[in-house]
Amino acid sequence: MTPSLTRGRPRQAASHIPVRVAHTALGGVIGVLWLVLPAATTADEGHEAPASVVGSAPAVSDAGAGAVAAAEEKTSTGDLVLPLVAAGAATAVAAYSYARRRRRTKAQAAPAGLVPVARATTPELDRQARRSLVSADDCLRTSREELGFVEGLFGSEAVAPFAEAVRYAEAELSAAFQLRQTYDDNPAEASRDTLDEIVARCVDAGRRLDAEAAGFDQLRALERDMSGALRHAEVRFRELTARTSAAEATLADLRERYGPTASLLASGQVEQAKDRLVFATAGLNRARQSADLGAPDRAVLQLRAAEGAITQAEMFVDGVDRLASALAAAAQAVPEALDEAEVAVVEARERLAAGTEQGVPVGALEGHVSRAAATLAAVREEAAAGPYDPLEALRRVAVVSAPLGTVPGALRLVAREATDAADGFVGTHRGAVGAEARTRLAEARRLLDRDPMEADAFARQARQLAERDVRAHGNPYGGRPEHANGVAGAVLGGILLGDPPDAGANALTGGAPGSFGGPATRARRGVAS
């Protein structure tokens, strides 16, 4: 069961050194008592107290002198024991208090890359939360993609435990992104606890994926026999090569059929799909060669890199096909959306004329009606003249009709396409995209079925932020041999983790490919244990 969104902060790890100090102090007290108390007991048993006769003169004898001496010795021993006990107790209390203070300030232990800075300032914790979100999101995306390959080989029943781990990580990360959105909306009112909770949820998501990595590798058993996985990848590669050529023709048709803005977001996707396929070609060839040469470890890395490239090429091609379907559906929905919005304009004018409008100032409503009428007339004219962008037309109709109390049902189609497009861009450029864009994307996904207009706005913002991150990242491989064989795109897409070295023909294996797992296992070069 997934924990609630506002669960408590994780328990902090105890420090072993302070605990040992407390144990040592307490042991010292017990040792002193062990040595001293037997002496006191022996003194009590070996001597009787001197008797005193009232009214008689004290008689001092040898026996009486011994009794007095014994009494003094007893008193001296008692006087010694009590201060020692008190001092020992004070030492134990002090040591225990010290241990508690240390435990309070000790940061929670977590996997590398997701550990909050000890005694961090709020800005430092904020940066750590951002890094945690990016790392956990990358792990989840890579795990989901490799899981798709394995499910195609072994079936859904065989991968059920790993699919469950992915769903758990998705739920944890979704809650973390929602907390981050709340923090960004009101940073002045947000607390450090929110940032702590974000990090904790990312840690939980990563640990669950890490826990399944060994079982996942055992299921694949690539080191023993990768022939089936290699054939499966080659089949998907050939199918995708044909689909890429078809997507190129589809994109050309969209440019002719619709306005310039309609296919703008998909421009370049066919070229990027081809780039990933170039990388996949090299990976598959080298994987087969390495397997034939008896180097299974190297072959596994090359195969996984090729699988990641094939997946991302498919994402680019799917984006083109999905856009074509969305534009066709939007073009059919525009006339009905215009009719609904124009009815809302007429009803608003009637309310103004009758003076029955309540809740909205008359001047504001008149402005809404005027803008809506002008926009609807312009959209209808563009649709009739063509070519135009039907998705953008629906968006414009929704913006002006919402203040009049109606939103076209087809706006959900617009919001879904914007969200899917932003998700595809983030996924294929995740090596450069930061936490802000991913947070807005998660919020768009969360609002998709609740508030399509807000979801569309968040999705478009996510895309803009992601593109900004990619521009800032740049292409550090321009003009280098790695750029020609697709390695630059593989690093930008998060297929290869880290910068490849100057390895010439071996540049493909310069960075470890991402694998199913969390931050502790995702970059493994062998079988997880």
Side-chain angles (χ1 to χ4, degrees):
M1 181 177 297
T2 303
S4 64
L5 180 64
T6 56
R7 68 181 182 187
R9 293 174 61 182
R11 181 175 296 177
Q12 296 176 332
S15 173
H16 295 294
I17 295 176
V19 172
R20 289 174 181 171
V21 171
H23 288 172
T24 301
L26 187 58
V29 173
I30 294 172
V32 170
L33 293 176
W34 182 268
L35 292 173
V36 174
L37 286 179
T41 304
T42 303
D44 288 342
E45 292 175 351
H47 301 278
E48 294 181 359
S52 174
V53 180
V54 179
S56 302
V60 179
S61 64
D62 292 341
V68 171
E72 290 177 351
E73 181 180 355
K74 174 184 175 183
T75 303
S76 176
T77 302
D79 291 343
L80 175 62
V81 170
L82 291 177
L84 283 174
V85 172
T91 302
V93 170
Y96 177 74
S97 300
Y98 172 74
R100 289 196 64 186
R101 286 197 301 271
R102 287 294 302 274
R103 283 198 296 271
R104 253 186 237 114
T105 58
K106 185 74 174 175
Q108 179 190 21
L114 294 176
V115 183
V117 180
R119 305 175 69 94
T121 64
T122 299
E124 288 172 339
L125 190 55
D126 178 38
R127 288 190 292 271
Q128 179 63 24
R130 291 172 182 268
R131 289 192 296 268
S132 298
L133 287 168
V134 171
S135 177
D137 192 41
D138 283 348
C139 291
L140 177 58
R141 288 176 180 273
T142 300
S143 297
R144 191 189 292 128
E145 291 166 7
E146 189 175 4
L147 182 64
F149 255 92
V150 177
E151 185 174 1
L153 272 171
F154 297 101
S156 57
E157 185 176 350
V159 301
F162 314 112
E164 176 60 28
V166 167
R167 285 192 292 271
Y168 178 90
E170 286 173 341
E172 288 295 291
L173 191 56
S174 176
F177 274 126
Q178 188 175 350
L179 286 166
R180 181 73 222 192
Q181 184 64 50
T182 302
Y183 185 91
D184 290 346
D185 288 341
N186 299 286
E189 300 178 6
S191 67
R192 287 173 54 93
D193 289 345
T194 302
L195 298 175
D196 283 337
E197 182 70 8
I198 291 170
V199 175
R201 288 197 176 265
C202 292
V203 167
D204 284 349
R207 283 175 173 167
R208 181 61 187 275
L209 295 174
D210 281 330
E212 299 294 341
F216 190 82
D217 285 348
Q218 290 172 6
L219 175 64
R220 298 208 70 179
L222 293 176
E223 283 77 5
R224 292 197 300 272
D225 182 11
M226 64 182 302
S227 58
L230 191 55
R231 285 194 301 270
H232 180 64
E234 289 171 341
V235 168
R236 286 189 60 176
F237 173 85
R238 288 191 292 269
E239 293 173 348
L240 193 55
T241 300
R243 285 189 60 202
T244 301
S245 299
E248 192 169 20
T250 299
L251 193 56
D253 180 65
L254 295 180
R255 293 191 182 105
E256 293 181 2
R257 182 178 302 184
Y258 301 104
T261 60
S263 58
L264 185 61
L265 294 181
S267 63
Q269 290 195 183
V270 172
E271 288 73 17
Q272 292 184 77
K274 292 178 178 179
D275 181 75
R276 298 296 193 275
L277 290 176
V278 168
F279 181 82
T281 300
L284 292 174
N285 290 338
R286 290 176 179 175
R288 187 169 290 281
Q289 292 170 3
S290 297
D292 292 342
L293 292 173
D297 290 346
R298 185 185 305 169
V300 168
L301 293 177
Q302 292 161 337
L303 174 62
R304 275 181 161 147
E307 289 175 342
I310 292 170
T311 298
Q312 290 199 6
E314 189 172 27
M315 292 169 67
F316 284 122
V317 173
D318 286 346
V320 174
D321 293 343
R322 186 182 59 247
L323 176 62
S325 298
L327 286 169
Q332 293 181 347
V334 165
E336 182 179 353
L338 286 170
D339 291 343
E340 291 177 1
E342 286 170 347
V343 169
V345 168
V346 170
E347 292 175 348
R349 283 173 173 164
E350 290 175 350
R351 293 197 300 272
L352 285 171
T356 57
E357 179 60 32
Q358 296 179 355
V360 180
V362 173
L365 181 58
E366 289 176 342
H368 293 324
V369 169
S370 177
R371 284 190 293 274
T375 298
L376 296 176
V379 170
R380 189 175 288 280
E381 182 179 350
E382 292 171 7
Y388 76 112
D389 181 351
L391 287 170
E392 182 60 25
L394 285 174
R395 186 176 286 119
R396 291 165 62 192
V397 170
V399 168
V400 297
S401 61
L404 304 181
T406 183
V407 174
L411 183 62
R412 183 170 284 104
L413 183 152
V414 177
R416 186 172 298 280
E417 169 57 26
T419 302
D420 289 343
D423 186 74
F425 187 88
V426 171
T428 54
H429 298 79
R430 56 180 176 261
V433 177
E436 189 176 5
R438 299 174 194 238
T439 301
R440 303 300 175 267
L441 173 60
E443 187 68 3
R445 186 72 69 189
R446 188 179 71 86
L447 295 172
L448 194 55
D449 294 326
R450 307 178 190 181
D451 188 340
M453 184 169 288
E454 281 293 305
D456 180 58
F458 275 110
R460 297 176 72 192
Q461 186 182 12
R463 178 65 180 260
Q464 292 169 358
L465 291 169
E467 290 178 347
R468 179 202 65 184
D469 290 343
V470 172
R471 287 193 299 270
H473 181 270
N475 179 15
Y477 310 104
R480 294 172 58 182
E482 292 91 336
H483 184 64
N485 63 11
V487 171
V491 174
L492 180 63
I495 298 169
L496 295 181
L497 309 179
D499 296 337
D502 295 327
N506 295 323
L508 176 66
T509 58
S515 306
F516 183 102
T521 58
R522 178 179 174 233
R524 61 189 180 276
R525 290 179 175 270
V527 178
S529 57

